[in-house]
Amino acid sequence: MKNDRTDAPPPGSERVYQGLGVAPGIALGTAWVSDDTAPSTPEYLIEPEAVTAELQRLKEAVAFAAKQLRKLKVKAQALPPAAAEELGYLLDARLQMLAGSRLIRTAEKLITELRLNAEAAVRATIAEISDGFSRMNDAYLAARGDDVREVGERLIRCLMATPYVALKHLPEGSILIAADLTPADTALLDPKLVLGFATEQGGKESHTAIMARSLGVPAILGIADLVTVLKTGDPIILDGHAGKLIVHPTPETRAQYEAGEAALKQERKRLSRLRDVPGVTLDGFTIGLNVNLELPRDLDGAHTVGAEGVGLLRTEFLYMNRDAAPDEDEQYEFLRAVIEGMDGRPVTVRTIDVGGDKLAPALREQIGEPLEESPNPALGVRGVRLSLAHPRLFDTQLAAILRAAAHGPIRILLPMISQISEVHAAREAVERVYKRLKRRKVPLPEKLPPLGVMIEVPGAALSADGLAAVSDFFAIGTNDLTMYTLAIDRGDERVAALYEPLHPAVLRLIQFTVEAGLRYRIPVSICGEIAGDPRFTPLLLGLGVRELSMSAPKLPSVKERVRALSLTEASRRARTIMDQADAKRIGELLDDFIANLGSHSV
């Protein structure tokens, strides 16, 4: 994108560069310009007898690049849940590109048939694939070409043994300026040091942009020649709302932005006052507002926003990236830390929710899960299917949960339920383990914890009446429910743009589930991403949902929306929306309702 300069300005005068504002927010700091440009790629022909060795060199580089990506996945677990999930999907997609994709196959072909060196073969392949995407004249598809380029650049660096420049030690108060920034680099920036970033490349649909928004880091992409015209130490203002980068701002401009930044802080402070007020609608209906957690470290965030409980405690990470399953004591200590940390507020513990393909090979071998890859992991042995297929694994987790339940209120949540028989089998397992622990005189709660099911596949939603009869509560996982209903894999970047939670089919499945819960008088909550987006709040409440669970930073704005609306009016608008057949029209009706809300928040 061109900047708005017409003539070269005097040195030190204010300059404004226009780019794409992809993550909102204002940052005032100093530029830190990265010179980590792509390495110059050598190109030469190899001798016929060297082809085999060159293919082996490429193979080893692919293995090393995959190892780097797996390490990044481990580091990503320390990110906030939403960012960790987003980066996890992204890194999985990158790993798939390294596993016999067109990128690798074409590079191998160029080495074999044209006898190009590996670096040149990869570079030529990147250009061919990226050009193909760019010719489609579609911003989303163009961004997918960027993804291929990023994976290819990583591969070339591995071939040339040229590592990326680490961005861990930037001076405090920096605004990072770079030709490009990978999503992984973005995710691992330290927000205590880096106030924001601007790059020459990238678009609104890029994963770097998505990651910046997930982390709440102001960002601008797509400013041409930025690295060459800025110097490290230049005073700078980054406006992520308007997409403006202002270098050497005048005192007047700085004062204007300082006032804007102060207003944003005031807004955050205003929302913080909601911490101790209840989530009650204008007409007096109380809405339960909980948080999703992964680790005890997230407890501070839950308390800061005044969460009423943990609506979803994910336990998967305990089983991933390790060679042995966690034993009962390790899981018990983890759960006890969370439960005691919530000071008597309820914690909903979801049993392991991964497929066998996500477990480390050594762990799969330990529990007896076949090492062969599932042809379609999303439809294979995952969630409660994995637990019921491996009673020892399931019983160990249940024992830890039941022991932890002696320290505070717990609910047990079963993922990937599609059959009533699965609920019966899981309940029998809970009762069996409870009796065994009781015989050992282990401290336990007097009653079994409530046993609920995730509604995340269409079959479960459509048979919600039957499931409600055997369950103590429902938690609707709208991320997977949308994916399975629309046959959209968010990890597949070619179709991810079709992911639409406002699709009428998804909304009707939510409605079926909520109505079944009301008939059987069991609680129904939502713990997918839409629970944390205030745009969806009127619709979800209007459909009958009375509990929402989300990442902690999103809770204040959702609570404000709850307190600004009338449930009676939201229900009326929801009925109108459910008569619609088009997601765009549904969005318009929802936005119109929100636009007419009053300001009754704090």
Side-chain angles (χ1 to χ4, degrees):
M1 181 171 289
K2 296 178 66 176
N3 60 64
D4 64 354
R5 295 173 301 162
T6 54
D7 299 302
S13 62
E14 178 176 296
R15 289 169 283 162
V16 181
Y17 298 87
Q18 183 67 54
L20 298 170
V22 298
I26 295 171
L28 293 87
T30 55
W32 192 92
V33 181
S34 169
D35 59 357
D36 190 24
T37 54
S40 178
T41 308
E43 181 174 344
Y44 53 89
L45 294 178
I46 57 175
E47 298 298 327
E49 58 271 23
V51 167
T52 301
E54 197 68 3
L55 288 170
Q56 179 62 27
R57 199 164 71 85
L58 176 65
K59 183 179 179 181
E60 291 172 358
V62 169
F64 191 66
K67 183 178 179 181
Q68 289 179 334
L69 293 173
R70 285 193 288 271
K71 282 186 175 180
L72 285 172
K73 282 195 71 173
V74 174
K75 289 183 179 179
Q77 292 173 7
L79 297 171
E85 183 179 24
E86 188 62 45
L87 186 58
Y89 282 128
L90 175 64
L91 293 176
D92 283 340
R94 299 286 189 271
L95 284 164
Q96 287 176 8
M97 288 186 200
L98 290 171
S101 67
R102 180 185 168 194
L103 172 66
I104 306 304
R105 293 197 307 272
T106 304
E108 291 173 338
K109 185 178 179 182
L110 293 177
I111 294 172
T112 304
E113 296 183 358
L114 301 183
R115 291 192 284 116
L116 278 178
N117 63 305
E119 294 91 339
V122 173
R123 177 69 70 199
T125 305
I126 295 171
E128 178 185 328
I129 297 176
S130 298
D131 286 349
F133 278 117
S134 62
R135 283 197 297 271
M136 294 179 188
N137 196 28
D138 180 286
Y140 175 79
L141 293 176
R144 305 292 73 79
D146 290 342
D147 296 338
V148 174
R149 181 172 50 77
E150 182 197 324
V151 173
E153 294 292 351
R154 179 176 293 279
L155 199 49
I156 290 173
R157 284 178 180 272
C158 291
L159 284 163
M160 299 177 66
T162 306
Y164 286 97
V165 173
L167 300 173
K168 298 178 183 175
H169 307 298
L170 273 60
E172 187 173 353
S174 296
I175 295 175
L176 176 61
I177 305 298
D180 197 7
L181 199 62
T182 70
D185 285 337
T186 306
L188 299 177
L189 290 175
D190 185 346
K192 294 178 182 175
L193 305 177
V194 181
L195 304 177
F197 67 86
T199 67
E200 297 178 354
Q201 301 180 25
K204 283 192 174 181
E205 301 291 345
S206 69
H207 280 293
T208 297
I210 295 170
M211 188 56 57
R213 289 193 288 272
S214 297
L215 293 169
V217 176
I220 303 173
L221 307 184
I223 304 178
D225 304 325
L226 198 58
V227 171
T228 55
V229 298
L230 264 65
K231 296 177 181 176
T232 294
D234 280 343
I236 198 170
I237 295 174
L238 188 150
D239 182 346
H241 297 278
K244 288 184 178 179
L245 190 73
I246 305 169
V247 184
H248 291 292
T250 64
E252 294 77 14
T253 301
R254 175 170 286 277
Q256 176 189 345
Y257 272 94
E258 286 176 343
E261 189 181 38
L264 284 176
K265 288 181 179 176
Q266 189 65 28
E267 173 68 5
R268 287 194 287 269
K269 184 177 180 182
R270 185 183 67 79
L271 287 175
S272 71
R273 296 176 189 158
L274 292 168
R275 179 186 182 279
D276 297 319
V277 300
V280 179
T281 64
L282 290 176
D283 44 355
F285 290 89
T286 299
I287 308 301
L289 298 175
N290 302 316
V291 293
N292 300 337
L293 292 187
E294 289 189 335
L295 294 167
R297 67 160 189 227
D298 301 328
L299 286 166
D300 287 346
H303 292 303
T304 298
V305 299
E308 297 169 28
V310 176
L312 175 64
L313 177 63
R314 301 181 178 95
T315 59
E316 297 76 70
F317 86 96
L318 282 169
Y319 298 83
M320 299 170 72
N321 300 305
R322 56 189 298 163
D323 293 331
D327 64 19
E328 180 183 317
D329 286 342
E330 180 181 350
Q331 295 186 61
Y332 162 71
E333 293 296 340
F334 161 77
L335 293 168
R336 190 181 71 166
V338 175
I339 292 163
E340 291 183 342
M342 287 305 294
D343 297 328
R345 280 164 281 189
V347 175
T348 301
V349 181
R350 185 175 68 186
T351 56
I352 181 173
D353 186 23
V354 295
D357 59 301
K358 295 289 179 65
L359 300 173
L363 179 53
R364 291 169 65 183
E365 194 169 12
Q366 180 191 1
I367 67 173
E369 178 68 11
L371 292 174
E372 294 80 15
E373 295 291 341
S374 169
N376 193 337
L379 304 180
V381 181
R382 54 164 293 195
V384 78
R385 299 171 185 174
L386 181 75
S387 296
L388 294 175
H390 301 285
R392 183 176 297 179
L393 180 80
F394 195 32
D395 286 4
T396 299
Q397 184 172 38
L398 291 176
I401 294 172
L402 291 171
R403 287 172 60 192
H407 300 278
I410 261 186
R411 303 194 303 180
I412 301 174
L413 181 59
L414 305 171
M416 197 63 181
I417 288 286
S418 60
Q419 310 281 341
I420 290 175
S421 60
E422 293 169 330
V423 184
H424 286 310
R427 192 177 291 280
E428 289 171 4
V430 172
E431 292 172 350
R432 180 180 67 247
V433 174
Y434 184 85
K435 290 176 181 175
R436 174 168 60 81
L437 292 173
K438 202 167 186 179
R439 285 196 298 272
R440 287 166 43 193
K441 300 188 183 306
V442 173
L444 295 170
E446 292 186 3
K447 295 181 180 178
L448 286 173
L451 185 68
V453 303
M454 290 282 293
I455 302 295
E456 53 190 338
V457 299
L462 292 170
S463 58
D465 274 310
L467 289 170
V470 299
S471 305
D472 298 318
F473 67 95
F474 283 160
I476 305 176
T478 50
N479 298 351
D480 279 352
L481 183 62
T482 303
M483 178 183 77
Y484 286 120
T485 302
L486 304 182
I488 299 296
D489 180 359
R490 290 192 305 166
D492 185 340
E493 297 162 349
R494 295 166 297 180
V495 296
L498 300 175
Y499 182 87
E500 176 54 86
L502 286 179
H503 191 289
V506 177
L507 298 182
R508 284 172 187 146
L509 292 174
I510 294 174
Q511 185 181 40
F512 289 155
T513 303
V514 173
E515 290 177 351
L518 291 171
R519 280 192 290 275
Y520 282 85
R521 299 178 183 277
I522 64 172
V524 180
S525 67
I526 287 186
C527 56
E529 285 183 7
I530 64 173
D533 187 340
R535 184 190 185 209
F536 294 89
T537 306
L539 177 57
L540 298 179
L541 270 55
L543 290 174
V545 176
R546 297 293 179 267
E547 289 183 28
L548 300 170
S549 189
M550 64 209 81
S551 62
K554 296 178 178 177
L555 195 146
S557 57
V558 171
K559 182 184 284 188
E560 182 181 49
R561 181 59 46 82
V562 167
R563 291 174 59 82
L565 62 81
S566 157
L567 189 59
T568 304
E569 293 175 6
S571 300
R572 189 176 298 124
R573 180 55 59 99
R575 285 195 291 274
T576 302
I577 284 176
M578 295 310 294
D579 288 334
Q580 309 303 313
D582 178 61
K584 182 180 178 183
R585 177 59 181 155
I586 289 172
E588 291 171 351
L589 285 168
L590 191 53
D591 293 338
D592 173 72
F593 180 84
I594 292 169
N596 289 291
L597 290 177
S599 55
H600 304 274
S601 55
V602 182

